[in-house]
């Protein structure tokens, strides 16, 4: 047998049979024998049916075998296809006389391939010896149902042929585009596809491997090296482990030892270059990160677990702790951060904050934080609380001051505290101790404020304090709802039991949609209201909806609401009236009332208050819009019809934290008659609706009834301070003199301060200096936060810009432009921070409330952005201010880089 004779496959035989059948029918020949010069090998069925022709296939290595096949009986209409290495001179005239075209036809695979692809020309490179295997492979791999997709051009190029073949052999769709690293890595996860590829002829397998190694690069080189050693299925987990085995710097002895073991195990001792391995590792990490966020989190977790087991088997399990992708690396970083927080307690110093922030930055650099969302949320809250503990304590002077401080700052503390309390620390036991110590430190400090608030409230209540500026539950409708109604009747949503901490979360959820405009009476931010005493539904909700202090139930609320809006149509709906029928989420009367813009509509939702009794089934510390039945639908209806909305509550709540202080028994959970004890206070006055006097606890741990998930009725700010959220669909619906609140919304400075640098505090707080350090690199300076009060020499760049002629000229085009001193402070602060500052820190520099910064920065931009060049801009969704320092110097001072 001539080894140079090509073998025929089913596609070749079918193609030749189709050509022969057409020739026989056109010329009306009687011959039915097709002689093909091919290797006497046949892997297909002995009988085939192709293009309407039935045929038998016979592999005949010798002339005698050909004679036997030709002489064997067969149906007259059945073709005989003879595969033989013999040529015309060997076959003999008697056999040739009965054959189609009276000759042994050589197989021209490329003709068949050109026809399959619809090509008029073939790339000359395809005729080279190196690509002989490609023709047979293309014929063998041709999709049976559809064939090869037709070319869009006249020529079949080598690249197209190889890409099409590779795509089919790897189990993917046909595509002229080059296969990429991600496609190859995904392919390694398919056991069947890898096994099918491994079963290909060695010529084709090696040829495709070499081609992909050239076109795809390092990832392909590593994969096909592993394939040759039977380890392709391990490619992705190995790639996740490789980062630690092939560090950029000089490896340690134990790393080298583990690397040698890996090379022996997965590459037969002949591993690709370290540079290829590092590229391979990066591609594997990117793929796993993509899987983590695209619905394949379980697969990503499994691959990371496999990688950790690999490192362990290689004697390098210690290296997993330094990984930026494996769970062990996340765990190690979280443990370090937990220790830094623990070391900083109970009273963190600036140096402690720096260490916490550095550990936090390191944790955030882990590339799979998305897979540990709950843990990241808890540790984020822990970092925020640590920052807050580093702030100096300041006692508010009046009840209004205390309520405002609680709403704007301590409610955020309570929000973070709920996350820390509910954290799952099973993976990192050391975090449990750190969170516990942090919780106690925060609660101790919070308790001091709670006591102070209770004392201010008791003193104010007894004297029937001035209410000119302070919103009370009984005048909330008068002071907030009625001015809105003058523009358009609002939808008033009362979330029974909603605390200020919960309101923070819900407001963020509402504002994130960027369709509602938040507004309020005060230009410095949201304002609080004060609940009735005791802070329970019976007293406070009835007073809220009636517009006057009184107690009662739903009937009193309904009649009181109607009486308050006398002279104007109104409707009040309670929980039991909201449920709609089939196909209707909310009852028709509610929808009808909301769509009638002449009617003031009130809706009471009890979801939060109900959860205090039984607890939440999901056990989560968060409250989102979707967690509160009917709320999203109500907001949508109000938006469509163009109604303002007020979201408020009748009282807040405290949660049960398993601290069982039960000093007395009573019919109610958080107030009683008698003599006050430790953690309690006696309150007198006309706003006390239990006969003018009551004993109530300011300590949130105290309860008088059986244990529940949460309580209300006490005198703590978490129960007494009522949040007021006001949103309008259009600016013209804002009452005259009210402020528009931009984004970011209302978070205290320590909440959103950049976690890559020490905290920046508001200007009113004492300066907290940081240790001096070397000049930062550009990356380090990216979010390096300056202190709120930035000392500057008289020749600072800010002072120079403020005094420049160009800035003076710009002022002629900007109404109510900020003064020169403020602009100088802002510029100097941004320059010192490397060109970027969070909006909250920038606000503290210029003495502006955070919510006013979008408008303020717009004015400054008009001054600095000469001729449309972006010298000053807001980035990161409005959370960061960016200054192009080089362009600023060039525009205003004529200094070029």
């Amino acid at each position: 047998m001539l080894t140079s004779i090509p073998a025929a496959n089913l596609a070749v035989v079918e193609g030749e049979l189709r050509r022969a059948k057409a020739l026989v029918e056109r010329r009306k020949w009687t011959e039915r024998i097709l002689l093909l010069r091919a290797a006497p090998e046949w892997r297909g069925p002995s009988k085939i049916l192709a293009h309407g022709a039935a045929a038998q296939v016979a592999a005949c290595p010798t002339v005698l075998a050909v004679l036997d096949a030709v002489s064997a009986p067969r149906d007259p209409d059945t073709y005989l296809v003879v595969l033989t290495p013999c040529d015309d001179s060997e076959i003999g005239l008697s056999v040739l006389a009965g054959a189609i075209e009276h000759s042994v036809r050589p197989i021209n695979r490329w003709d068949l391939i050109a026809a399959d692809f619809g090509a008029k020309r073939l790339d000359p490179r395809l005729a080279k010896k190196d690509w002989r295997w490609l023709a047979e492979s293309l014929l063998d791999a041709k999709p049976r149902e559809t064939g090869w997709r037709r070319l869009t051009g006249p020529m079949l190029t080598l690249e197209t042929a190889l890409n099409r073949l590779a795509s089919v052999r790897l189990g993917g769709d046909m595509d002229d585009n080059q296969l990429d690293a991600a496609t190859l890595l995904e392919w390694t996860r398919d056991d069947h596809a890898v096994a099918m590829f491994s079963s290909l002829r060695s010529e084709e397998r090696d040829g495709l491997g070499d081609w992909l190694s050239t076109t795809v690069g390092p990832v392909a080189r590593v994969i096909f090296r592993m394939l040759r050693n039977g380890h392709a299925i391990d490619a992705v987990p190995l790639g996740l482990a490789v980062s630690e085995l092939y560090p950029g710097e000089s490896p340690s002895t134990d790393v080298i030892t583990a690397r040698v073991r890996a090379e022996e195990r997965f590459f037969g001792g002949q591993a690709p270059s370290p540079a290829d391995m590092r590229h391979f590792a990066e591609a594997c990490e990117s793929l796993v990160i993509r899987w983590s966020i695209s619905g394949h989190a379980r697969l990503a977790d499994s691959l990371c677990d496999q990688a950790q087991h690999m490192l362990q088997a290689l004697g390098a399990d210690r290296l997993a702790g330094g990984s930026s992708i494996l769970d062990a690396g996340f765990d190690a970083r979280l443990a370090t951060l937990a220790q830094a927080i623990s070391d900083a307690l109970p009273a963190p110093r600036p140096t402690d904050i720096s260490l916490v922030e550095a550990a936090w930055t390191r944790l955030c650099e882990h590339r799979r934080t998305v897979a540990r969302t709950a843990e990241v949320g808890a540790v984020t809250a822990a970092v925020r609380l640590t920052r807050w503990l580093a702030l100096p304590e300041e006692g508010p002077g009046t009840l209004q001051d205390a309520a405002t401080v609680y709403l704007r700052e301590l409610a955020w503390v309570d929000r973070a505290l709920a996350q820390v309390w509910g954290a799952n620390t099973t993976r990192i036991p050391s975090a449990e101790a750190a969170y516990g110590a942090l919780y106690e430190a925060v609660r101790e400090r919070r308790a001091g404020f709670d006591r102070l608030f209770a004392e201010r409230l008791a003193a104010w209540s007894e004297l029937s304090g001035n209410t000119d500026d302070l919103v009370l539950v009984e005048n909330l409708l008068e002071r907030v709802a009625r001015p809105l109604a003058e523009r358009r009747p609002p939808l008033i949503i009362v979330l029974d039991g909603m605390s200020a901490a919960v309101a923070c979360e819900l407001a963020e959820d509402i504002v994130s949609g960027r369709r509602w405009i938040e507004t309020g009476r005060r230009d410095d931010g949201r304002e609080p209201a004060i609940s009735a005493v005791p802070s329970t539904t019976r007293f406070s909700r009835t007073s809220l909806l009636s517009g006057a202090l009184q107690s009662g139930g739903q009937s009193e609320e309904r009649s009181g609401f109607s009486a308050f809006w006398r002279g104007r149509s109104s409707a009040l709906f309670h929980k039991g009236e909201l449920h709609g029928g089939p196909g209707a989420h909310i009852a028709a009367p509610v929808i009808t009332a909301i769509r009638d813009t002449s009617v003031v509509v009130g809706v009471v939702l009890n979801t939060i208050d109900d959860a205090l009794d039984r607890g939440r089934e999901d056990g989560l510390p968060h409250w989102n819009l979707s967690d509160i039945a009917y709320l999203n639908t109500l907001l949508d209806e109000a938006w469509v019809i163009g109604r303002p909305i007020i979201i408020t509550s009748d009282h807040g709540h405290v949660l049960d934290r398993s601290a069982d202080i039960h000093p007395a028994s009573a019919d109610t959970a958080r107030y009683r008659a008698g003599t006050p004890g430790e953690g309690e206070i006696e309150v007198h006055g006309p706003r006390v609706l239990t006969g003018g006097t009551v004993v109530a606890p300011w300590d949130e741990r105290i309860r008088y009834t059986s244990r529940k998930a949460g309580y209300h009725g006490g005198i703590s700010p978490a129960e007494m301070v009522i949040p007021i959220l006001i949103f309008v669909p259009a600016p013209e619906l804002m009452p005259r003199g009210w402020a528009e609140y931009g984004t970011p919304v209302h978070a205290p400075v320590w909440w959103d301060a950049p976690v890559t640098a020490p905290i920046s505090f508001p200007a009113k707080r004492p300066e907290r200096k940081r240790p001096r350090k070397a000049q930062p690199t550009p990356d380090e300076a990216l979010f390096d936060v300056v202190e709120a009060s930035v000392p500057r020499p008289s020749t600072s760049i800010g002072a120079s810009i403020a005094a420049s002629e160009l800035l003076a000229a710009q002022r002629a085009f900007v109404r109510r432009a900020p003064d020169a001193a403020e602009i100088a402070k802002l510029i100097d602060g941004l320059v010192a921070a490397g060109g970027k500052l969070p909006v909250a820190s920038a606000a503290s520099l210029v003495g502006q409330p955070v919510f006013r910064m979008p408008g303020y920065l717009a004015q400054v931009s008009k001054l600095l952005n000469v001729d449309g060049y972006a010298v000053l801009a807001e980035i990161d969704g409005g959370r960061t201010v960016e200054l192009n320092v080089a362009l600023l110097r060039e525009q205003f001072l004529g200094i070029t880089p």
Side-chain angles (χ1 to χ4, degrees):
M1 183 179 69
L2 300 176
T3 56
S4 61
I5 302 300
N9 58 21
L10 183 61
V12 170
V13 171
E14 289 179 344
E16 291 290 346
L17 187 60
R18 176 182 60 186
R19 185 196 64 80
K21 178 176 180 289
L23 191 62
V24 167
E25 291 176 348
R26 185 169 66 251
R27 298 188 180 183
K28 303 187 183 311
W29 288 345
T30 59
E31 292 87 348
R32 295 292 186 272
I33 299 174
L34 176 61
L35 301 177
L36 296 178
R37 192 162 187 262
E41 304 171 4
W42 182 244
R43 300 177 184 176
S46 59
K47 295 182 179 181
I48 63 174
L49 180 65
H51 310 289
Q56 291 179 321
V57 182
C60 303
T62 64
V63 174
L64 289 177
V66 173
L67 292 173
D68 288 342
V70 170
S71 303
R74 69 178 188 280
D75 187 280
D77 292 327
T78 299
Y79 286 79
L80 173 64
V81 180
V82 176
L83 306 177
T84 180
C86 303
D87 58 19
D88 288 356
S89 63
E90 296 174 284
I91 291 295
L93 294 177
S94 61
V95 175
L96 293 177
I100 297 171
E101 297 184 283
H102 310 304
S103 66
V104 180
R105 177 175 173 78
I107 295 173
N108 189 331
R109 290 176 171 80
W110 286 115
D111 285 346
L112 296 174
I113 293 168
D116 287 339
F117 279 91
K120 295 180 180 179
R121 299 194 306 274
L122 295 173
D123 191 326
R125 292 175 294 173
L126 293 172
K128 292 185 177 180
K129 179 180 178 180
D130 293 345
W131 303 111
R132 283 181 180 175
W133 61 270
L134 181 56
E136 182 174 349
S137 297
L138 285 169
L139 290 169
D140 184 61
K142 183 177 73 171
R144 296 297 175 192
E145 299 297 328
T146 60
W148 291 111
R149 181 162 47 84
R150 311 290 278 186
L151 299 174
T152 56
M155 178 182 286
L156 175 61
T157 64
L158 173 65
E159 289 77 13
T160 297
L162 285 165
N163 284 335
R164 294 276 188 94
L165 177 62
S167 181
V168 170
R169 292 307 198 194
L170 295 177
D173 296 328
M174 290 183 295
D175 196 338
D176 290 343
N177 296 324
Q178 231 177 0
L179 294 165
D180 58 17
T183 302
L184 285 180
L185 288 172
E186 291 181 13
W187 169 74
T188 65
R189 302 307 305 160
D190 187 334
D191 291 352
H192 177 70
V194 171
M196 292 296 293
F197 187 91
S198 298
S199 67
L200 297 174
R201 293 178 301 119
S202 60
E203 278 186 303
E204 180 179 357
R205 188 174 62 246
D206 294 341
L208 284 176
D210 292 343
W211 167 254
L212 291 170
S213 294
T214 301
T215 56
V216 176
V219 172
R221 289 196 286 272
V222 175
I223 287 175
F224 288 105
R225 189 74 60 87
M226 295 183 72
L227 181 74
R228 284 194 286 272
N229 288 275
H231 287 288
I233 195 67
D234 297 320
V236 177
L238 177 65
L240 301 179
V242 155
S243 293
E244 311 311 313
L245 298 179
Y246 292 84
E249 65 278 1
S250 299
S252 61
T253 302
D254 57 342
V255 170
I256 294 175
T257 301
R259 181 192 300 180
V260 170
R261 290 172 181 159
E263 292 173 354
E264 287 292 336
R265 175 177 173 182
F266 296 104
F267 302 101
Q270 297 182 350
S273 68
D276 279 1
M277 294 299 284
R278 284 192 285 271
H279 280 98
F280 172 64
E282 178 62 30
C284 291
E285 290 185 0
S286 297
L287 179 65
V288 168
I289 291 167
R290 177 158 59 86
W291 278 342
S292 295
I293 61 177
S294 62
H296 301 286
R298 288 188 177 181
L299 175 58
D301 291 343
S302 174
L303 292 170
C304 289
D305 289 342
Q306 292 177 46
Q308 287 184 203
H309 290 315
M310 279 184 183
L311 287 173
Q312 186 176 12
L314 296 171
D317 49 322
R318 181 187 62 81
L319 300 179
S323 172
S324 64
I325 193 77
L326 302 182
D327 285 339
F330 182 93
D331 292 347
R333 297 172 195 219
L334 180 53
T336 299
L337 177 53
Q339 186 61 53
I341 291 173
S342 183
D343 292 343
L345 300 174
R349 299 165 298 174
T351 52
D352 298 325
I353 293 295
S354 297
L355 293 174
V356 169
E357 297 287 358
W360 169 245
T361 300
R362 176 73 172 150
L363 178 67
C364 291
E365 289 170 351
H366 194 273
R367 303 184 68 186
R368 284 185 63 245
T369 53
V370 68
R372 307 279 286 273
T373 304
E375 288 169 279
V376 171
V379 75
T380 302
V383 170
R384 287 167 167 164
L385 291 174
T386 307
R387 294 175 186 151
W388 176 74
L389 285 172
L391 293 168
E393 293 189 65
E394 296 180 0
T398 66
L399 175 62
Q400 182 169 352
D401 292 340
T404 303
V405 168
Y406 179 77
L407 179 71
R408 299 182 183 177
E409 184 157 338
L410 296 185
W412 298 78
V413 172
D414 287 351
R415 175 181 172 183
L417 206 58
Q419 283 191 274
V420 170
W421 175 266
N424 182 352
T425 58
T426 52
R427 290 183 64 96
I428 313 297
S430 60
E432 181 178 3
Y435 290 169
L438 177 64
Y439 177 83
E440 293 302 327
V442 172
R443 280 308 313 156
E444 182 177 350
R445 180 165 170 177
R446 281 282 287 104
F449 180 87
D450 290 353
R451 180 168 193 156
L452 181 62
F453 176 89
E455 291 171 350
R456 295 285 187 273
L457 179 64
W460 176 87
S461 295
E462 190 166 3
L463 297 174
S464 298
N466 186 349
T467 64
D468 287 347
D469 296 322
L470 184 59
V471 178
L472 307 175
V473 70
E474 64 269 26
N475 64 29
L476 191 153
L477 290 183
E478 181 65 37
R479 297 191 174 185
V480 177
R482 198 179 291 283
L484 276 174
E486 295 304 318
R487 298 298 177 101
R488 182 168 297 170
L491 169 62
I492 304 165
I493 302 174
V494 180
L495 301 182
D496 196 320
M498 178 180 68
S499 65
V502 173
C504 294
E505 293 188 278
L506 294 179
E508 284 185 0
D509 217 359
I510 294 171
V511 172
S512 66
R514 297 190 178 275
R515 59 178 184 176
W516 289 102
I517 300 170
E518 186 175 4
T519 183
R521 299 194 315 155
R522 293 174 58 165
D523 60 3
D524 61 344
R526 295 174 187 150
E527 64 180 324
I530 301 297
S531 173
V533 182
S535 54
T536 62
T537 300
R538 175 174 177 77
F539 302 116
S540 205
R541 197 172 82 187
T542 307
S543 299
L544 167 66
L545 294 171
S546 302
L549 286 171
Q550 68 178 80
S551 63
Q554 293 186 10
S555 60
E556 287 78 12
E557 291 169 0
R558 185 171 286 105
S559 60
F561 192 75
S562 178
F564 178 84
W565 293 107
R566 184 174 291 110
R568 184 189 291 269
S569 297
S570 65
L572 178 65
F573 300 95
H574 291 85
K575 177 181 177 181
E577 300 169 289
L578 297 178
H579 184 64
H585 182 54
I586 294 183
V590 182
I591 300 299
T592 300
I594 293 175
R595 292 177 180 177
D596 183 350
T597 54
S598 67
V599 179
V600 179
V601 181
V603 177
V604 178
L605 301 179
N606 298 81
T607 304
I608 298 173
D609 198 50
D610 291 345
L612 299 177
D613 185 35
R614 299 181 296 271
R616 294 181 61 179
E617 290 184 4
D618 56 20
L620 295 177
H622 303 288
W623 283 99
N624 299 316
L625 291 179
S626 58
D627 296 324
I628 300 177
Y630 306 114
L631 182 55
N632 256 325
T633 305
L634 291 171
L635 294 179
D636 289 342
E637 287 292 333
W639 170 261
V640 169
I641 205 64
R643 274 185 183 270
I645 59 171
I646 300 171
I647 301 178
T648 189
S649 65
D650 49 351
H651 55 77
H653 64 265
V654 295
L655 296 173
D656 189 291
R657 301 297 192 197
S658 301
D660 191 9
I661 299 179
H662 191 60
S665 294
D667 294 332
T668 53
R670 292 275 291 172
Y671 69 92
R672 64 182 180 88
T675 303
E678 183 66 29
E680 299 173 310
I681 194 169
E682 190 169 24
V683 185
H684 306 277
R687 297 191 74 253
V688 180
L689 301 183
T690 52
T693 184
V694 72
V695 171
W698 54 262
D699 189 333
E700 69 174 23
R701 299 171 296 175
I702 294 175
R703 61 180 175 83
Y704 306 127
T705 57
S706 59
R707 172 161 285 160
K708 296 182 179 180
Y711 317 96
H712 54 88
I715 210 74
S716 72
E719 297 160 284
M720 290 296 301
V721 175
I722 297 173
I724 307 171
L725 305 176
I726 309 162
F727 300 94
V728 293
E732 55 268 22
L733 296 180
M734 292 167 47
R736 182 180 300 275
W738 284 30
E740 178 179 333
Y741 302 149
T743 56
V745 181
H746 305 290
V749 174
W750 50 266
W751 186 267
D752 274 330
V755 293
T756 52
I759 186 72
S760 167
F761 298 100
K764 66 179 182 180
R765 303 193 185 280
E767 182 177 341
R768 300 169 64 87
K769 296 182 179 179
R770 298 174 310 201
R772 295 179 63 85
K773 62 178 181 180
Q775 183 68 25
T777 66
D779 286 341
E780 291 172 334
L782 185 62
F783 285 105
D784 194 9
V785 180
V786 297
E787 299 298 328
S789 179
V790 182
R792 303 185 312 276
S794 59
T795 56
S796 72
I797 183 174
S800 299
I801 299 297
S804 67
E805 293 182 3
L806 179 55
L807 189 70
Q810 287 289 100
R811 284 185 175 278
F813 304 101
V814 181
R815 296 179 58 190
R816 298 189 300 276
D819 63 35
E822 285 185 5
I823 293 174
K825 286 181 181 179
L826 181 62
I827 291 173
D828 288 333
L830 285 162
V831 170
K836 291 184 180 180
L837 275 176
V839 169
S841 296
S844 68
L845 284 172
V846 296
Q848 291 286 331
V850 175
F851 67 84
R852 281 195 175 277
M853 286 301 287
Y856 182 88
L857 293 172
Q859 294 294 90
V860 178
S861 296
K862 291 177 182 178
L863 293 173
L864 300 184
N865 294 355
V866 180
D867 296 331
Y869 288 95
V871 173
L872 186 78
E874 291 182 83
I875 60 174
D876 299 334
R879 290 184 173 273
T880 304
V881 186
E882 181 178 48
L883 178 70
N884 187 328
V885 179
L887 187 56
L888 176 76
R889 292 176 184 273
E890 183 178 357
Q891 291 275 47
F892 286 86
L893 303 179
I895 301 174
T896 57

